[in-house]
């Protein structure tokens, strides 16, 4: 028999209970009606999709499609998530009611379900205010980095950003920062998850966001944060007079996201003329009508309109932000007339070199070198390591993702160290430690200053990148992925690498390439350490193995936390001096082909290659 108020579809009682609670608790007519309709139609398959499993709250918060049900982003799941987060913060901070939290949002919207980032941010704010907790809610869209900036600037307990970054248009997300200004790490995610499960029923005034109007607990930090962020940014402008005079022209695209106004302000702060904005993409548009994926990492497809505008205006440099403006892609017109889109690793090399060079000019006292640090993630290029070795500062690598770099940077800063730069290959850069996360606004204007400075020496970004490689050693990288929707297959593929010869041994060779070292961060094994134990934290829930080859190559295979992909990252590092980059590229391509053939075995495991 059906549970009281259930839909009597002979579904399992759990699904009945979930839908019954939904009908009691959801006050958004659009999602409520759509669930009633699914029940009336007996659409078991769709109900299972919406109610089969609650979105998992991880260290990156939530990310899922907008729509009805506990597996989606909607008013009710935002309320439930924020109630749990609120209770968890109350336990962690005795002064939460004095300090409060910051909340901001991007421009995403999903008309069919009535979900949008602004609405979600208001519901989250309402939750805190009903509990007597001050909320600094931005009155309009901001880049993601403005949230960690505000946490530090106003010494708040936490920050929430409603965004799905560069995901497809139907998605949204809920990203969380701790009081140290960095993204949360484990075990906070587990604690918040538990608290969400304990606070599922909406509190009495949960849906009444009119409580925000005129509440003494609600503050709008927009004006003051806008002012102080760009004031702080000015400290990273090293060549104001060059910027004023420069003949280099820039095109900027915000790819239908939030970046336009903020990059314009950043250029003004550095005394630049404003960059030319791609008109079709400069205003926020949740439909992202001119691109297939709103992700500048995808390279040339997203930049088609930028290339056209740059060719028309004779601009040589294109700066492209992703929709929440925490990432940056840069392209430069070559003498051949071709456009070169720099990889995240190449721009990381340029920005790292630039920030160190600029620091060195200002600090003649070299004893300060011992406190200088740069960070990058373990799947990013090791170019900063080569620069650090030669120049005498410190380089550290962290696990993949800015939460690790942000938290490590925080520890170092608290020890009195100076963290000049951190980056990851996924076009994320932290150029100014007043934001302990990637920031595409500061990276855009600092890249512009770098290009303008080089132009005074008759150098392009491409020529400077080559000079860096000649001085510190060529670092050639290649990354890609295979798509696999079956978790069992993925697990089997990695287990077979751990038991390559049938006797629980890792492979000794890959095709003609000899393997000299193995680090497995799933199991915690590292044969380069005296005790064979890995130094970086390990995680049994995700797969990650790094192979070092006798020819100076390094390759990492790992699973993605957010997509059905097995990714690989490979790099060939040559010592400084005259190397032949074409020969190195050929060698790396052969190494990658061997890895695909022997380690991925796409035929055997039925893997889909990346679509070019």
């Amino acid at each position: 028999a059906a549970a009281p108020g259930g839909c009597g579809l002979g579904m399992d009682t759990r699904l009945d209970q979930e839908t019954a609670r939904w009908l009691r608790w959801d006050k958004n007519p659009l999602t409520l009606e759509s669930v009633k309709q699914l029940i009336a139609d007996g659409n078991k398959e769709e109900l299972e999709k919406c109610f089969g499993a609650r979105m998992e709250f991880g260290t990156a918060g939530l990310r899922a499609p907008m729509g009805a049900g506990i597996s989606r982003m909607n008013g009710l799941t935002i309320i439930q998530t924020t109630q749990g987060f609120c209770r968890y913060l109350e336990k962690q901070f005795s002064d939460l009611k004095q300090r409060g939290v910051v909340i901001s949002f991007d421009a995403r919207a999903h008309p069919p379900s009535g979900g949008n980032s602004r609405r979600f941010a208001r519901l989250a704010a309402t939750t805190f205010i009903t509990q007597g907790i001050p909320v600094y809610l931005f009155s309009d869209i901001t880049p993601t980095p403005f949230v960690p900036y505000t946490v530090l600037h106003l010494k708040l307990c936490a920050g929430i950003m409603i965004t799905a970054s560069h995901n497809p248009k139907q998605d949204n997300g809920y990203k969380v920062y701790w009081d140290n200004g960095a993204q949360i790490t484990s075990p906070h995610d587990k604690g918040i998850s538990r608290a969400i499960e304990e606070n599922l029923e909406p509190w009495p005034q949960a849906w009444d966001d009119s409580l925000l109007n005129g509440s003494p607990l609600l503050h709008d930090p927009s004006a003051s944060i806008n002012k102080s962020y760009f004031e702080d940014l000015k400290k990273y402008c090293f060549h104001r007079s060059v910027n004023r005079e420069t003949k280099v022209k820039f095109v900027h695209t915000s790819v239908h996201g939030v970046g336009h106004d903020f990059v314009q302000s950043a250029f003004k702060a550095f005394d630049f003329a404003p960059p030319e904005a791609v008109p079709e993409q400069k205003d926020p548009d949740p439909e992202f009508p001119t691109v297939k994926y709103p992700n500048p990492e995808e390279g040339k497809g997203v930049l088609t309109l930028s290339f056209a505008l740059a060719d028309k205006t004779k601009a040589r440099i294109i700066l492209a932000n992703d929709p929440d403006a925490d990432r940056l892609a840069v392209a430069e017109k070559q003498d051949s007339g071709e456009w070169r889109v720099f990889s995240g690793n190449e721009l990381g090399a340029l920005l790292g070199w630039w920030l160190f060079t600029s620091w060195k000019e200002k600090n003649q006292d070299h004893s300060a070198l011992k406190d200088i640090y740069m960070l990058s993630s373990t799947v990013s290029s090791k170019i900063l390591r080569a620069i650090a070795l030669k120049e005498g500062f410190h380089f550290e690598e962290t696990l993949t993702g800015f939460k690790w770099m942000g938290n490590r940077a925080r520890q170092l800063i608290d020890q009195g160290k100076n963290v000049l730069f951190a980056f990851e290959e996924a076009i994320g850069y932290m150029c100014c430690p007043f934001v302990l996360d990637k920031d595409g606004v500061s990276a855009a204007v600092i890249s512009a200053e770098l290009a303008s400075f080089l132009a005074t020496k008759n150098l392009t970004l491409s020529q400077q990148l080559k000079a860096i490689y000649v001085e510190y050693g060529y670092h050639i990288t290649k990354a890609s992925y295979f798509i696999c929707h079956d978790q069992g297959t993925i697990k089997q593929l990695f287990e077979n690498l751990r038991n390559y010869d049938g006797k629980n041994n890792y492979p000794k060779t890959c095709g003609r390439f000899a393997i000299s070292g193995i680090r497995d961060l799933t199991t915690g094994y590292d044969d380069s350490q005296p005790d064979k134990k890995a130094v970086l934290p390990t995680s049994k829930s995700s797969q990650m193995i790094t192979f070092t080859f006798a020819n100076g190559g390094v390759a990492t295979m790992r699973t993605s936390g957010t997509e059905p992909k097995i990714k690989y990252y490979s790099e060939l590092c040559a010592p400084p001096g005259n190397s032949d980059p074409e020969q190195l590229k050929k060698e790396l391509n052969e190494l990658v082909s061997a890895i695909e053939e022997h380690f991925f075995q796409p035929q055997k495991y039925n893997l889909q290659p990346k679509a070019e």
Side-chain angles (χ1 to χ4, degrees):
C7 39
L9 292 176
M11 278 184 278
D12 59 60
T13 42
R14 182 189 50 84
L15 211 52
D16 270 348
Q17 282 166 348
E18 288 291 0
T19 50
R21 290 201 294 194
W22 191 269
L23 298 178
R24 281 205 304 280
W25 293 345
D26 188 8
K27 299 279 180 270
N28 168 5
L30 289 170
T31 43
L32 186 59
E33 277 313 309
S34 72
V35 173
K36 284 183 177 163
Q37 193 59 51
L38 291 175
I39 293 170
D41 297 344
N43 190 337
K44 234 169 133 172
E45 196 185 335
E46 199 51 39
L47 282 165
E48 188 56 56
K49 267 191 205 143
C50 300
F51 292 96
R54 177 168 293 280
M55 289 179 288
E56 205 165 310
F57 192 98
T59 52
L62 301 173
R63 204 175 276 188
M66 291 179 269
I70 61 173
S71 67
R72 308 271 160 88
M73 298 282 295
N74 52 62
L76 180 51
T77 52
I78 288 282
I79 287 169
Q80 294 172 324
T81 300
T82 311
Q83 290 181 166
F85 188 36
C86 178
R87 287 288 178 261
Y88 185 74
L89 288 171
E90 287 169 340
K91 278 203 195 86
Q92 300 280 330
F93 297 102
S94 56
D95 53 359
L96 180 62
K97 285 191 165 141
Q98 285 73 55
R99 288 163 71 192
V101 300
V102 54
I103 302 176
S104 192
F105 51 95
D106 69 9
R108 285 177 176 261
H110 183 250
S113 68
N116 64 68
S117 299
R118 181 186 295 269
R119 167 93 182 130
F120 293 163
R122 284 181 65 85
L123 286 170
T126 303
T127 299
F128 283 104
I129 277 177
T130 62
Q131 306 306 299
I133 294 157
V135 174
Y136 295 81
L137 173 68
F138 281 90
S139 51
D140 210 347
I141 54 173
T142 72
T144 293
F146 273 49
V147 170
Y149 176 80
T150 305
V151 170
L152 289 181
H153 192 73
L154 299 178
K155 302 186 172 55
L156 307 179
C157 294
I160 298 168
M161 179 71 191
I162 307 290
T163 180
S165 191
H166 54 249
N167 270 39
K169 67 179 183 184
Q170 66 274 12
D171 289 2
N172 216 326
Y174 186 108
K175 192 172 182 182
V176 174
Y177 295 87
W178 206 240
D179 76 325
N180 66 354
Q183 288 178 58
I184 59 164
T185 50
S186 220
H188 290 311
D189 55 332
K190 309 274 185 297
I192 295 165
S193 271
R194 268 197 304 278
I196 294 169
E197 291 293 343
E198 288 159 9
N199 291 279
L200 291 176
E201 182 166 351
W203 299 336
Q205 297 168 293
W207 289 94
D208 185 9
D209 66 333
S210 70
L211 293 173
L212 297 178
N213 309 336
S215 164
L217 291 170
L218 187 76
H219 310 278
D220 175 9
S222 308
S224 67
I225 290 297
N226 240 325
K227 190 165 173 286
S228 59
Y229 174 91
F230 291 108
E231 279 305 312
D232 282 344
L233 186 58
K234 284 177 181 173
K235 298 174 192 133
Y236 294 85
C237 177
F238 305 117
H239 299 281
R240 206 165 275 288
S241 56
V242 170
N243 300 346
R244 260 186 231 123
E245 305 293 313
T246 188
K247 300 281 180 282
V248 181
K249 279 186 155 167
F250 300 94
V251 157
H252 174 247
T253 177
S254 40
V255 193
H256 304 297
V258 305
H260 175 77
D261 290 345
F262 299 93
V263 170
Q264 294 281 326
S265 299
F267 267 64
K268 196 178 274 146
F270 271 46
D271 277 355
F272 275 114
E276 287 275 348
V278 175
E280 303 91 331
Q281 297 177 334
K282 88 176 178 45
D283 297 322
D285 185 339
E287 293 300 318
F288 303 112
T290 66
V291 292
K292 190 173 170 199
Y293 300 107
N295 182 1
E297 251 189 293
E298 298 289 335
K300 296 198 167 171
V302 179
L303 299 177
T304 311
L305 291 170
S306 303
F307 294 145
L309 179 64
D311 289 338
K312 199 171 96 189
T313 59
K314 304 275 185 286
R316 207 186 75 224
I317 306 275
I318 290 167
L319 304 164
N321 288 119
D322 69 342
D324 66 328
D326 63 350
R327 285 182 166 85
L328 173 76
V330 176
E332 179 181 62
K333 185 127 188 206
Q334 305 300 293
D335 292 339
S336 65
E338 286 287 299
W339 283 97
R340 173 178 184 173
V341 183
F342 294 101
S343 71
N345 285 324
E346 291 171 335
L347 197 55
L350 282 162
L351 287 169
W353 170 83
W354 173 244
L355 289 163
F356 178 71
T357 305
S358 304
W359 176 86
K360 206 163 63 173
E361 298 244 304
K362 285 195 356 202
N363 297 271
Q364 298 308 317
D365 169 22
H366 284 186
S367 67
L369 266 175
K370 66 179 190 323
D371 289 331
I372 295 291
Y373 280 75
M374 287 197 189
L375 311 174
S376 71
S377 69
T378 178
V379 296
S380 302
S381 169
K382 305 285 178 279
I383 185 69
L384 296 183
R385 182 181 66 188
I387 300 176
L389 275 171
K390 194 164 175 187
E391 299 292 348
F393 62 90
H394 296 271
F395 166 73
E396 282 189 14
E397 64 171 20
T398 69
L399 289 178
T400 315
F402 252 91
K403 65 176 182 200
W404 297 103
M405 284 182 274
N407 279 287
R408 181 61 185 141
R410 176 84 248 172
Q411 288 175 339
L412 289 165
I413 291 164
D414 289 345
Q415 294 163 20
K417 310 295 185 201
N418 183 351
V419 180
L420 278 190
F421 181 58
F423 90 97
E424 63 177 3
E425 50 70 46
I427 64 173
Y429 313 96
M430 180 183 112
C431 299
C432 315
F434 59 72
V435 170
L436 296 178
D437 197 8
K438 53 189 179 291
D439 180 350
V441 178
S442 58
V445 74
I446 288 169
S447 298
E449 183 171 84
L450 163 59
S452 303
F453 175 80
L454 290 172
T456 65
K457 309 265 183 271
N458 284 324
L459 288 169
T460 63
L461 292 172
S462 299
Q463 288 166 326
Q464 181 54 44
L465 182 62
K466 188 174 176 192
I468 292 169
Y469 287 148
V470 169
E471 184 168 353
Y472 302 105
Y474 267 92
H475 286 60
I476 311 274
T477 57
K478 186 170 182 173
S480 191
Y481 57 80
F482 286 93
I483 294 169
C484 180
H485 290 277
D486 180 38
Q487 288 305 314
T489 302
I490 292 177
K491 202 170 167 143
Q492 192 196 345
L493 185 153
F494 279 92
E495 283 307 327
N496 287 351
L497 287 172
R498 295 185 179 105
N499 183 17
Y500 203 67
D501 61 354
K503 302 194 191 71
N504 273 332
N505 291 313
Y506 292 92
K508 310 254 189 307
T509 58
C510 179
R512 69 176 177 84
F513 298 96
I515 291 171
S516 60
I518 284 171
R519 181 186 65 190
D520 186 337
L521 289 180
T522 308
T523 63
Y525 172 80
D526 183 344
D527 62 11
S528 72
Q529 297 298 323
D531 61 358
K532 304 279 187 255
K533 285 194 172 71
V535 179
L536 286 172
T538 57
S539 162
K540 290 186 177 49
S541 62
S542 58
Q543 302 284 349
M544 180 159 167
I545 305 179
T546 300
F547 302 94
T548 306
F549 294 89
N551 69 347
V554 182
T556 295
M557 294 170 60
R558 66 181 274 264
T559 46
S560 163
T562 49
E563 302 161 301
K565 292 175 178 176
I566 313 174
K567 301 183 167 187
Y568 67 80
Y569 309 80
S570 64
E571 179 166 41
L572 205 52
C573 309
N578 276 333
S579 308
D580 174 359
E582 288 314 309
Q583 183 50 42
L584 289 170
K585 262 185 205 145
K586 186 168 168 284
E587 176 95 347
L588 184 63
N589 285 335
E590 286 174 20
L591 176 61
V592 165
S593 299
I595 290 167
E596 290 191 346
E597 181 188 341
H598 298 285
F599 288 1
F600 278 96
Q601 303 181 27
Q603 281 75 34
K604 174 179 169 182
Y605 294 111
N606 193 19
L607 309 176
Q608 302 320 117
K610 173 183 175 178
E612 282 313 324

